[in-house]
Amino acid sequence: MIIDHLRNIDSIPCSGLFAGQPSSAGFDQRLQAAFAYLRNTDLEAVAPGKVEIEGNQVFALVQEYKTKPRTQGFWEAHRQYIDVQYVVSGVEHMGYANLSQLTAGDYDNAKDFLPLEGVGSFILLPAGMFTIFLPQDGHMPGIAVDEPKAVKKVVVKVAIAD
């Protein structure tokens, strides 16, 4: 997992950042396309829904929702895509745990969804911050800080392989 403010993305060397990940030659370019979309788009004005950036290799899911109590959250991970989750407005807690700390359920290949059970840590994710979740990163998004509140978030899905 990586967490930072979007304004710092240019100081993070993307090339080689994910050494050891099952990747392809185009992965760095796809990651750059994801961050270019986040930097160069008026995300406040984008309506909820799917936005194609580079076909099924890079796309954004624009979401507006009310955060939920931790007891209603669930752990998840993905194998085919990394998640770049960026909070446009509002604030949420984001759960994180390495897969080795969690118990995996049955992976749904069609949805690229691995349900998980267990305990992890939670970080504060205010507007302007992003997280990157890799295949080994279990995460629990959309958790209320004190009480449920509105959040707008963009999840950019970046394909790991061609």
Side-chain angles (χ1 to χ4, degrees), residues 27-92:
F27 180 74
D28 285 343
Q29 290 82 11
R30 290 193 295 274
L31 190 59
Q32 292 291 346
F35 281 110
Y37 174 78
L38 292 174
R39 276 194 315 261
N40 301 324
T41 305
D42 179 2
L43 298 172
E44 290 283 352
V46 179
K50 184 177 179 179
V51 177
E52 286 193 19
I53 300 168
E54 290 186 2
N56 66 352
Q57 294 293 297
V58 183
F59 59 91
L61 303 173
V62 180
Q63 307 169 342
E64 291 181 349
Y65 55 86
K66 195 170 246 190
T67 56
K68 57 188 172 277
R70 196 175 296 185
T71 57
Q72 294 177 15
F74 56 89
W75 293 100
E76 64 183 78
H78 313 288
R79 293 180 180 166
Q80 299 170 34
Y81 290 88
I82 67 162
D83 276 4
V84 178
Q85 298 199 16
Y86 175 72
V87 177
V88 177
S89 62
V91 62
E92 68 180 49

Side-chain angles (χ1 to χ4, degrees), residues 108-120:
D108 184 335
N109 188 59
K111 295 180 181 178
D112 187 31
F113 181 80
L114 177 64
L116 303 158
E117 297 282 334
V119 178

